[in-house]
């Protein structure tokens, strides 16, 4: 295949490169030193294949090797991706229509795409002006992922206000809850081609049924950013971040990592005495020990 919807592969690659450059421009200032990653080809590296085309790589480092539209890209930390995964398209249609109507009414900028598969991708990019600076230093010290909390809080608030049911829609929460310590989460980019011959493309309306054909259309500008600092969501975000900081602080009170128990008689600990005193019949002692271990993990104490 040398063309997709009348566009040559090189033309599509040029449009994808422009798109990635624009996405990089809307990242938070403090995040711009972190490269925007892509996975150029689907699957694992085959024998004799170039690993950097199958691994997560900064797009600028591998672009000169590309001959085909990229497979997927990393989701930005300040990007919300609603990816309904229900097999019932009518559930997807109803939910996205509600979210779209709500965003239109409340001037929340978004981008909407037909995914090329069975659903719709709905993207919202929010502003770096979170108006929650008082929490950032403490969150950073405690290793709390602020943006993960912001994304989930905003998604839950928008879906609730829009009257959209995330369960019926089959929202992919992994694309919302990805952690700063992991590589992140990935999503197909505009122009990526599926095995069915369809591709992800920008749309203006939600279609009644999964379309057989749509023209390949890219955004012409960088995404608009939603500054929610003066909306009802700002307070919800502050509360959610404060609650997570409090939870981590409370767990850290029970962290025993820096304490040395070498040579300590375990029977001095009341919990161990209680475990040993339990009737070993029916595995009660075993399950009690497992429960204690799991509780310890919740409190930040390793099983070692």
């Amino acid at each position: 295949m040398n063309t997709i919807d009348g566009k040559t592969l090189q033309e599509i690659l040029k449009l994808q490169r422009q798109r990635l450059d624009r996405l990089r421009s809307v990242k938070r200032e403090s995040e711009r030193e972190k490269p925007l990653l892509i996975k150029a080809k689907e699957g694992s590296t085959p024998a004799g294949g170039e690993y950097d085309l199958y691994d997560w790589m900064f797009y600028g480092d591998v672009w000169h090797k590309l001959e085909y539209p990229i497979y997927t890209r990393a989701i930005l930390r300040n990007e919300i991706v609603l990816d309904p995964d229900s097999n019932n398209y009518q559930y997807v249609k109803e939910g996205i229509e509600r979210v779209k109507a709500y965003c239109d009414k409340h001037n929340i900028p978004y981008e909407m795409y037909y995914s090329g598969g069975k659903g719709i991708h709905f993207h919202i990019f929010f502003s770096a002006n979170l108006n929650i600076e008082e929490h950032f230093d403490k969150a950073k010290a405690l290793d709390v992922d602020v943006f993960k909390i912001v994304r989930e809080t905003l998604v839950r608030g928008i879906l609730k206000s829009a009257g959209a049911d995330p369960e019926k829609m089959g929202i992919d929460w992994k694309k919302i809850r990805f952690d700063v310590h992991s590589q992140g989460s990935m999503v197909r980019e505009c122009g990526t081609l599926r095995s069915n011959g369809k591709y992800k493309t920008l749309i203006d309306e939600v279609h009644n049924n999964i379309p057989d054909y749509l023209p390949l259309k890219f955004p012409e500008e960088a995404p608009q950013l939603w500054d929610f600092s003066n909306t009802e969501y700002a307070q919800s975000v502050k509360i959610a971040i404060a609650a997570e900081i409090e939870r981590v602080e409370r767990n850290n009170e029970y962290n025993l990592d820096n304490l040395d128990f070498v040579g300590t008689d375990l029977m001095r600990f009341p919990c161990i005495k209680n475990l040993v005193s339990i009737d070993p019949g029916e595995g009660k002692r075993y399950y009690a020990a497992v429960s204690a271990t799991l509780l310890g993990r919740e409190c930040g104490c390793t099983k070692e």
Side-chain angles (χ1 to χ4, degrees):
M1 180 180 291
N2 297 319
T3 63
I4 299 176
D5 192 37
K7 295 181 175 64
T8 67
L9 300 184
Q10 288 304 311
E11 287 174 329
I12 294 173
L13 279 170
K14 181 178 179 180
L15 290 169
Q16 286 189 327
R17 178 63 188 256
Q18 291 174 349
R19 166 70 173 172
L20 292 170
D21 288 342
R22 288 166 179 159
L23 286 173
R24 197 177 178 203
S25 73
V26 302
K27 294 178 72 174
R28 265 174 47 83
E29 289 289 345
S30 62
E31 296 299 317
R32 288 186 188 168
E33 70 277 8
K34 296 183 179 181
L36 178 54
L37 305 179
I38 66 167
K39 181 171 166 48
K41 293 185 177 183
E42 184 178 6
S44 56
T45 309
E50 297 186 69
Y51 79 93
D52 52 356
L53 296 181
Y54 293 86
D55 198 6
W56 290 35
M57 301 290 294
F58 170 53
Y59 68 94
D61 289 342
V62 296
W63 207 262
H64 63 286
K65 296 184 177 182
L66 303 186
E67 299 176 351
Y68 203 74
I70 65 170
Y71 171 58
T72 188
R73 69 158 172 90
I75 298 173
L76 306 186
R77 293 182 69 197
N78 63 323
E79 177 184 10
I80 290 170
V81 176
L82 296 182
D83 180 10
D85 199 32
S86 172
N87 288 320
N88 188 327
Y89 179 75
Q90 293 309 308
Y91 288 161
V92 173
K93 174 180 179 292
E94 177 186 355
I96 293 296
E97 281 180 334
R98 289 175 180 268
V99 172
K100 179 180 183 301
Y102 178 81
C103 290
D104 287 338
K105 181 178 179 180
H106 295 275
N107 298 315
I108 300 175
Y110 60 85
E111 293 179 351
M112 188 169 62
Y113 297 82
Y114 168 53
S115 69
K118 60 184 180 182
I120 296 170
H121 290 173
F122 197 94
H123 300 246
I124 297 174
F125 299 81
F126 54 87
S127 171
N129 181 21
L130 300 179
N131 200 26
I132 48 177
E133 288 80 1
E134 66 269 27
H135 293 299
F136 267 99
D137 289 340
K138 183 175 286 189
K140 185 175 182 179
L142 293 171
D143 212 16
V144 171
D145 188 346
V146 170
F147 280 85
K148 177 181 177 181
I149 299 169
V150 174
R151 289 192 303 270
E152 183 167 359
T153 303
L154 292 179
V155 167
R156 292 193 180 280
I158 290 172
L159 291 175
K160 182 178 179 180
S161 296
D165 186 337
E167 299 302 322
K168 288 178 64 176
M169 295 170 68
I171 290 295
D172 184 353
W173 288 103
K174 295 190 296 295
K175 287 185 170 61
I176 306 295
R177 295 174 177 150
F178 64 88
D179 194 271
V180 66
H181 298 297
S182 65
Q183 285 184 299
S185 185
M186 306 199 85
V187 66
R188 289 179 181 272
E189 185 47 84
C190 195
T192 56
L193 190 68
R194 290 180 177 267
S195 58
N196 61 7
K198 296 182 180 181
Y199 37 77
K200 180 168 177 174
T201 182
L202 189 69
I203 57 175
D204 299 318
E205 60 179 348
V206 182
H207 297 85
N208 290 329
N209 298 289
I210 295 177
D212 291 326
Y213 164 78
L214 288 172
L216 178 56
K217 182 179 178 182
F218 280 77
E220 296 181 355
E221 304 291 341
Q224 287 184 268
L225 298 180
W226 175 38
D227 182 358
F228 64 87
S229 58
N230 294 316
T231 72
E232 59 183 309
Y233 296 103
Q235 187 63 21
S236 299
V237 166
K238 288 183 181 181
I239 292 172
I241 293 173
E244 178 63 10
I245 288 174
E246 181 181 351
R247 186 191 70 80
V248 173
E249 285 181 322
R250 185 170 61 250
N251 284 355
N252 283 351
E253 292 177 6
Y254 301 98
N255 195 319
L256 308 180
D257 288 348
N258 296 321
L259 298 182
D260 184 5
F261 293 106
V262 175
T264 302
D265 180 5
L266 289 178
M267 292 301 290
R268 292 179 54 192
F269 295 95
C271 59
I272 300 299
K273 284 184 178 181
N274 290 336
L275 276 175
V276 173
S277 67
I278 294 174
D279 182 352
E282 300 180 359
K284 294 178 182 177
R285 186 182 297 171
Y286 168 79
Y287 289 113
V290 170
S291 299
T293 301
L294 293 174
L295 180 59
R297 187 172 67 182
E298 285 295 307
C299 295
C301 175
T302 65
K303 65 180 181 180
E304 288 76 16

